[in-house]
Amino acid sequence: MNMKWIRRSVVTFVTAVTIMLTWQVSAQAASTLWTYKSGNEVKWHQLTDLSTLLVGTDDGLALLDPEKGTEVWKRSDLKKVSQYQVEEVKGTPLLLVSANEGGFSNKTKLVALDITTGETIWETEKLKGATVGFLPVYQKNMVIVLTSKGASASKDKPDMIALDITTGEVVALANLPTYNPNNRARLSSAQLRNRAITDTFEPGSTLKPFTIAVALETGRVTPQTTIQTAPGSLTIGSATIRDAHAEGLLTVEQVIQKSSNVGAAKIALSLTPESMWNLFQSVGFGSVPRLGFPGEANGRVRPHKGWRPIEQATMSYGHGISVSLIQLAHAYGVFARDGDIVPLSITRIDAPPTPRVVISAETARSVRHMLELAVRPGGTAPRAQIMGYRVAGKTGTAHKQENGSYAPNKYVSSFVGFAPASNPRFVVAVMIDEPSTGGYYGGAVAAPVFARVMAGALRLTGVPPDAPMKPIEVPP
């Protein structure tokens, strides 16, 4: 019988110990080509294309010849593979697998294999209690890995998005926890939602740079203007705004570096509500990103005419406004691109996009310098530093809203930044919903994820370093 490998004719069956590949030759007849017997239970199988069949069992990982049922290779050391993906990286087809040694409470490692031989190309260290999400970047020939670490990491819900700010292309995107599309028994709608695009949150202090940009543009302040933030609190009506740490007299630069809520609120109250609203609208807050992706969120920016002083003050540090993660990443492009912004795209851009000017280049560069200070020692995000590259970015920590009020012990932590700061190429935004390990401040839980993703992106795409290759200083 002359068998032709036609996609519509492949039918697979799985039992506890065997895989049978049945070839359907007509509507009335079918024949069994072969039977593959494994010593342990077959957990999953996948036709990676029409010439390879990947099989995962309790005693290892195997690649079969679909025509003969024979093992091309087998890796007995890779047990309990929870996720896998085939990607072409710089012309080489790689099989990426996430292997757990005893479930999420124990150790996980990520391994890249040559899919033709099964040989290891590289592998990560074993991460205790980690879940791994794969981020394929087809257009850029790179693969980025996002991990959520810690003993309770399976409860965390991190999202990440990376943009090429020169083109507006979305080059990487991930939401965790992820799911196995081959196992839909316990699949929920929440797992299917692309939260980085469809969900909104209060951005917290990641919004402070935009407040400062308005003040610089309107001439209300300069980077060296001093703001008295003592005693670390500010009362407006019946509400009191507080800083995490009382700082005293700060320059505008230091308001960003130290992330002072009081400083940002005082600067905001010197502005007109309309001027703040105009900039928020200009960078895309409150508007659908127009990616063409189903369920895009537009966020919420209330009309400025109804703002009360306390609302204007809290909006300066990201409370009372909601954005999606992709909106926030896109908006930071204004500081990375010397004041203009380009449209987003989830497909490859062949022609250079037409930028739209939002703020002056001088203002954008001033804010960029402030964002660099925030990442250096003395700022709120030294864990976002990358050896060999200058990094600019801002942390965000906000109480989570539940049932119309702020939950006292639930947080949304974030970090948004770009690099290299001397000539920015990528913007990466990370948001962790209800972090359960390592604290809850954005600088402690989101900034390290940013650093790992950004470092991999810069090096894999060959972006030249713009800082000395010396060890970075990270606080204990």
Side-chain angles (χ1 to χ4, degrees), residues 88-417:
E88 184 173 302
V89 180
K90 295 185 176 180
T92 301
L94 297 185
L95 171 63
L96 300 172
V97 298
S98 171
N100 299 325
E101 298 184 354
F104 286 106
S105 61
N106 290 307
K107 293 183 177 180
T108 298
K109 66 178 178 180
L110 179 71
V111 184
L113 311 175
D114 183 326
I115 196 169
T116 60
T117 65
E119 296 178 352
T120 297
I121 305 299
W122 53 257
E123 65 180 75
T124 65
E125 61 186 8
K126 295 178 181 178
L127 305 171
K128 186 174 182 179
T131 57
V132 178
F134 298 127
L135 304 181
V137 190
Y138 306 103
Q139 300 167 359
K140 304 301 177 185
N141 287 327
M142 65 179 176
V143 173
I144 300 172
V145 179
L146 173 65
T147 64
S148 171
K149 298 176 63 176
S152 301
S154 59
K155 297 180 181 178
D156 296 344
K157 291 176 284 186
D159 304 327
M160 190 284 297
I161 193 160
L163 308 177
D164 185 332
I165 61 98
T166 63
T167 62
E169 293 170 307
V170 178
V171 295
L173 189 153
N175 308 277
L176 292 179
T178 185
Y179 64 93
N180 185 346
N182 295 302
N183 182 4
R184 309 180 72 87
R186 298 182 181 179
L187 198 59
S188 67
S189 59
Q191 290 174 291
L192 295 171
R193 201 167 63 245
N194 198 327
R195 297 189 308 271
I197 297 176
T198 64
D199 288 16
T200 62
F201 64 101
E202 290 195 343
S205 294
T206 56
L207 213 69
K208 286 174 183 170
F210 300 95
T211 301
I212 301 304
V214 177
L216 292 172
E217 280 287 278
T218 56
R220 295 287 183 177
V221 299
T222 70
Q224 299 306 317
T225 299
T226 55
I227 309 293
Q228 182 57 259
T229 66
S233 62
L234 175 66
T235 299
I236 302 173
S238 59
T240 299
I241 294 170
R242 302 183 188 279
D243 280 338
H245 307 283
E247 298 289 351
L249 193 66
L250 297 176
T251 64
V252 171
E253 284 186 341
Q254 291 173 320
V255 167
I256 293 296
Q257 181 187 26
K258 303 295 184 181
S259 197
S260 170
N261 294 340
V262 173
K266 284 188 172 183
I267 292 171
L269 292 173
S270 72
L271 306 171
T272 64
E274 184 177 7
S275 62
M276 291 177 61
W277 185 88
N278 283 339
L279 182 61
F280 293 164
Q281 289 284 308
S282 295
V283 296
F285 298 147
S287 303
V288 174
R290 297 183 181 178
L291 278 168
F293 191 90
E296 294 175 83
N298 58 359
R300 184 170 183 263
V301 182
R302 294 190 305 105
H304 62 83
K305 292 183 179 180
W307 293 4
R308 295 177 297 153
I310 184 60
E311 293 170 329
Q312 183 175 352
T314 59
M315 217 172 294
S316 71
Y317 57 86
H319 284 248
I321 180 174
S322 66
V323 302
S324 66
L325 193 62
I326 195 169
Q327 286 177 319
L328 194 57
H330 187 214
Y332 264 68
V334 168
F335 306 126
R337 287 184 52 91
D338 286 348
D340 63 31
I341 198 167
V342 294
L344 291 171
S345 176
I346 55 175
T347 58
R348 185 180 181 87
I349 299 296
D350 295 320
T354 302
R356 174 173 53 85
V357 176
V358 176
I359 56 177
S360 68
E362 181 182 1
T363 294
R365 290 168 188 155
S366 294
V367 175
R368 187 189 306 167
H369 175 67
M370 298 177 198
L371 295 174
E372 278 199 80
L373 293 177
V375 174
R376 294 173 185 170
T380 59
R383 289 180 174 85
Q385 296 177 92
I386 302 171
M387 187 169 66
Y389 294 93
R390 289 166 51 191
V391 175
K394 185 71 188 73
T395 56
T397 308
H399 283 278
K400 190 173 180 179
Q401 281 193 340
E402 281 189 349
N403 302 319
S405 61
Y406 290 104
N409 298 313
K410 293 184 178 181
Y411 300 89
V412 174
S413 306
S414 57
F415 183 87
V416 189

Side-chain angles (χ1 to χ4, degrees), residues 453-467:
V453 172
M454 181 64 85
L458 293 171
R459 289 165 185 153
L460 285 169
T461 53
V463 176
D466 65 342

Side-chain angles (χ1 to χ4, degrees), residues 32-43:
T32 298
L33 297 182
W34 50 259
T35 298
Y36 171 73
K37 292 187 177 182
S38 169
N40 283 278
E41 180 179 356
V42 173
K43 295 296 186 181

